[in-house]
């Protein structure tokens, strides 16, 4: 089998399990959520070993360096050998004020309980 020299970024991201489907990888590229070496990547953008791929998803950015090129999807243990993960650790969660919580299984709040909760939150209608 011949060694792959170049690979499309959408196919590579799908093959190394950064996306669950190839079409999701293509959509993310078209939406501008994938960058290769700092430049916005189209689905057909070619990647080579050493390229930096940044995938934006929700509240996190995943930064990986291409180590090996593959175009067929592989298992997770093999996939992690194809890139070097440079994703920074998530920031520590700040102490959040505790919101009143209901006991699990206690059902929906009554009208009286809703009014009390709204009054505590400062949403007074009267």
């Amino acid at each position: 089998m011949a060694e792959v020299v170049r690979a499309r970024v959408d196919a590579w991201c799908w093959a190394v399990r950064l996306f669950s489907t190839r079409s999701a990888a293509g959509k993310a590229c078209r939406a501008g959520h994938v960058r290769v070496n700092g430049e916005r990547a189209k689905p057909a953008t070619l990647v080579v070993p050493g390229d930096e791929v940044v995938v934006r998803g929700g509240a996190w950015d995943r930064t990986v360096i291409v180590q090996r090129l593959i175009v067929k999807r592989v298992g997770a243990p093999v996939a992690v050998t194809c890139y070097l993960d440079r994703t920074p650790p998530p920031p520590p969660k700040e102490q959040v004020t505790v919101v009143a919580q209901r006991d699990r299984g206690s059902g929906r709040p009554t009208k009286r309980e809703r009014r009390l909760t709204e009054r505590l939150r400062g949403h007074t209608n009267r």
Side-chain angles (χ1 to χ4, degrees):
M1 188 168 151
E3 176 95 15
V4 179
V5 180
R6 294 178 172 190
R8 288 173 54 119
V9 70
D10 62 340
W12 185 82
C13 287
W14 166 74
V16 297
R17 298 176 167 266
L18 295 177
F19 291 97
S20 57
T21 64
R22 175 127 180 229
S23 62
K27 282 182 184 177
C29 290
R30 282 189 294 278
H33 300 300
V34 178
R35 293 185 171 272
V36 176
N37 296 326
E39 298 291 322
R40 240 176 113 164
K42 294 181 179 179
T45 301
L46 298 175
V47 293
V48 295
D51 283 349
E52 179 185 60
V53 178
V54 178
V55 177
R56 188 175 71 216
W60 53 268
D61 283 354
R62 185 114 188 241
T63 306
V64 295
I65 307 293
V66 178
Q67 297 286 68
R68 239 177 60 204
L69 294 176
I70 57 173
V71 291
K72 300 284 185 183
R73 194 162 170 98
V74 294
V78 178
V80 296
T81 65
C82 296
Y83 60 85
L84 185 61
D85 198 350
R86 295 286 189 201
T87 305
K93 294 184 179 179
E94 296 179 22
Q95 192 100 19
V96 215
T97 57
V98 179
V99 178
Q101 293 183 351
R102 297 179 52 79
D103 292 331
R104 189 168 175 85
S106 63
R108 293 183 61 176
T110 63
K111 186 180 252 186
R112 181 171 187 256
E113 290 171 334
R114 278 197 312 271
R115 286 181 179 156
L116 288 171
T117 304
E118 287 175 359
R119 194 175 303 141
L120 284 172
R121 290 184 177 169
H123 302 289
T124 57
N125 292 338
R126 299 180 187 189

